[in-house]
Amino acid sequence: MDSSTFMLGSLLVLLCVVPIASVLTKQAQKNKKVIKQLNAFAKGKNLNLTSTEITHRLVLGYDKTARTFVFASLLDKERTYKIIEMKNIKRAWLLVNELDKNEIEKISIQFEGNTPIKGVVFYDDFTDSGKDTFVCKHIANSWVDILQQ
């Protein structure tokens, strides 16, 4: 292999790798900023989040000691954090609305108890088409487990 072939190959690899690395770095920085904002909000409410996560539509946090769930939609231009005190919740469960065996319309966590918030949507076919419903269902199910601790 001569040096011109090596140089051309190296240039092509760089042209592919640099943009992908740049996008991944920017997304990681954005996620870090969102989690930092969530933690700042929680600290203002005297909460210490033990679990946090970002999905394509939500930022979620849970304070295990205070049994308090904090979340906000990432789809809204102005982020409004909502708080659910799990001590007021009798039951939390995963609800999957299926149109048919192969199509899911909505995935949410539903709450029964003394709270004005009756559910948190993790997937809605109307706004989230193209998203992996299996992943959304898995994440929502893991949060049901966290909230029931």
Side-chain angles (χ1 to χ4, degrees), residues 53 55-58 60 94-96 104 106-109 120-125 128-144:
E53 188 164 5
T55 70
H56 69 282
R57 69 172 15 241
L58 296 167
L60 310 153
L94 180 67
L95 179 64
V96 179
I104 293 177
K106 190 180 278 188
I107 299 170
S108 62
I109 295 177
V120 178
V121 176
F122 281 74
Y123 173 85
D124 186 339
D125 188 41
D128 299 330
S129 63
K131 301 295 180 194
D132 189 344
T133 56
F134 177 78
V135 172
C136 294
K137 185 176 177 182
H138 176 74
I139 292 170
N141 202 36
S142 69
W143 275 91
V144 168

Side-chain angles (χ1 to χ4, degrees), residues 88-103:
N88 298 329
I89 302 299
K90 294 178 188 171
R91 186 169 77 113
W93 71 95
L94 180 67
L95 179 64
V96 179
N97 295 348
E98 296 181 5
L99 295 174
D100 59 43
K101 188 172 180 155
N102 297 323
E103 191 173 358

Side-chain angles (χ1 to χ4, degrees), residues 58-90:
L58 296 167
V59 58
L60 310 153
Y62 183 68
D63 181 336
K64 188 174 182 178
T65 306
R67 296 196 61 226
T68 303
F69 179 44
V70 182
F71 66 96
S73 173
L74 296 174
L75 302 178
D76 300 334
K77 289 186 181 196
E78 297 248 348
R79 196 164 301 131
T80 304
Y81 294 99
K82 296 180 176 86
I83 297 174
I84 298 177
E85 293 184 19
M86 296 307 292
K87 63 184 175 191
N88 298 329
I89 302 299
K90 294 178 188 171

Side-chain angles (χ1 to χ4, degrees), residues 1-13:
M1 175 165 54
D2 62 356
S3 61
S4 63
T5 304
F6 176 75
M7 293 296 282
L8 183 61
S10 298
L11 180 64
L12 289 174
V13 167

Side-chain angles (χ1 to χ4, degrees), residues 39 41-49 63 66 68-70 83:
N39 280 314
F41 173 80
K43 282 195 190 309
K45 300 291 182 184
N46 294 323
L47 299 172
N48 183 25
L49 300 179
D63 181 336
T68 303
F69 179 44
V70 182
I83 297 174

